[in-house]
Amino acid sequence: MSRLFNRKNIRIEEKKLEIEGGVNLAKILLEMKNITKTFPGVKALDNVNLQVEEGEIHALVGENGAGKSTLMNVLSGVYSYGTYEGDIIYDSEVCNFNAIKDSEQKGIVIIHQELALIPYMTIAENMFLGNERGSKCKINWTETGVLARKYLDIVGLKDSTQTLIKDIGVGKQQLVEIAKALSKNARLLILDEPTSSLNESDSKALLDLLLKLKKEQNLTSIIISHKLNEVSYVADKITVIRDGSTIETLTKGVDDFSEARIINGMVGRELSDRFPKREPKIGDIMMEVKDWNVYHPLYSDRKVVNNVSMNVRKGEVVGISGLMGAGRTELAMSIFGRSYGENITGTLKINGKEVKLRNVQEAIKHKLAYVTEDRKGNGLILTNPIKINTTLANLDAVSKNSVIDKDKEYEVAVDYKQKLKTKCPSVEQNVGNLSGGNQQKVLLAKWMFADPDILILDEPTRGIDVGAKYEIYCIINQLVDAGKSVIMISSELPEVLGMCDRVYVMNEGRMVGELDGKEATQEKIMTYILQSSGNKEVK
């Protein structure tokens, strides 16, 4: 055993020497040297260096606000040459990109976290939007369809090229984005949080596609992700960025690729327990839903929530687990002042009394809050400062005779900035300039200031790093310790298991299982989901 161990160590040391001594003959496709980018009051990047070999999958990891997306925006031309310092050397040539089109002409294509697809256009139309086939006067639709089919086949999407984007799921939309990138002759594909909106099976399929494209097309990829298990699975190298600076680059087969090791590099310390401990103090039922039914707002014959019953108690965190499309968000929004759905029926009780919440304002008055999964689209006004966003859900508390007290508004925003440890130069800063994790904290502050008794959190940690996740978990624990009730919708099973006192399992619009937090496992949750498919309820 010891001899085998020694041989393994020798092989690792030899590999290190090869890399350090320049024996590794792999071509350097991209080198970013001493990249520095400053925004008003913030140095987002400070002499960052990155080297990517041709044909590798290179992961960028770091806490929210570390500078990962900023670095990729510099590379892709979103931030034009002259707005940053340093050099981009691509394919042995110094490049000065002034727009995205400039980088795309070199084969560098970026897919942002918020997909740039138009819902009411077809797959083929979206794939070649801005890159149309044909002449200036006339689009060649035959060529468009043939080429779209070619690239869709490469990524394994069988849907018709004439299918509207709105009629396919998020997982398939990601495949359309990759096919679109390949149609631009991409040599370097940048993916910013590509699996943040996907369930586990869709995420695995997407990562396997990247590995396939690497092997068959020699496609080089840079992936930004906070899902460290996925990073370890797919990446050849991992570069860690912290506070706008490069910390280290880890190589698979040479360095420790464990989640604990990556976290240590990201946050500068070990994060031994990913979920903070809490002693549950669970009281009476705070909110109860019985026989709840909701129909789709456009397709009136499609029932999206089917006869659901559930409850949450004072001081309790209740999880709702399920696959994408199970109806979890639709359920939450329909409860929250009927902000989703048509023909809603059923009984809703708060503190034992039946209530009729006809709109969002009535829901807020009854001490019910809903923290949306779409913080940028529905949760925050990105062009407004932090202070305005913080008080939006409870303007009465900072106004008199319908006139907002600006000083009080400012004080409230500063108070929540300190409570939630939001990283920002000032509460006067626009929310759109914050990282995803800090935007999420502002969204939480907005609803915490409304002082709800029941808080529905829809994917509260989507797209944010492990450090920011831990801080949000601590906030959740503080809320229930104070006697609030929390309903957490999450696609991350470890998060559900680590935080929740009880777990409901939802599938195809129905509640198909309920588990005590102590007995819940990933296997049990998936068993409920799989056995209930086809409308068979699990007992």
Side-chain angles (χ1 to χ4, degrees), residues 386-387 390 408-420 426-427:
I386 294 166
K387 65 177 186 180
T390 302
K408 194 168 185 180
E409 179 184 61
Y410 181 85
E411 288 172 10
V412 167
V414 170
D415 182 39
Y416 277 96
K417 170 186 178 292
Q418 293 169 349
K419 282 180 181 174
L420 275 58
S426 162
V427 295

Side-chain angles (χ1 to χ4, degrees), residues 322-374:
L323 303 177
M324 297 294 291
R328 298 167 301 166
T329 294
E330 292 82 354
L331 170 65
M333 291 181 67
S334 65
I335 292 170
F336 184 61
R338 298 175 180 250
S339 49
Y340 174 89
E342 296 291 337
N343 299 324
I344 299 171
T345 59
T347 305
L348 175 63
K349 291 183 179 179
I350 295 178
N351 284 321
K353 294 180 181 179
E354 185 174 348
V355 295
K356 302 282 187 184
L357 307 180
R358 291 166 295 184
N359 53 50
V360 169
Q361 288 76 18
E362 289 187 6
I364 294 171
K365 285 178 183 177
H366 281 83
K367 300 287 188 177
L368 177 63
Y370 169 68
V371 180
T372 176
E373 64 176 334
D374 183 9

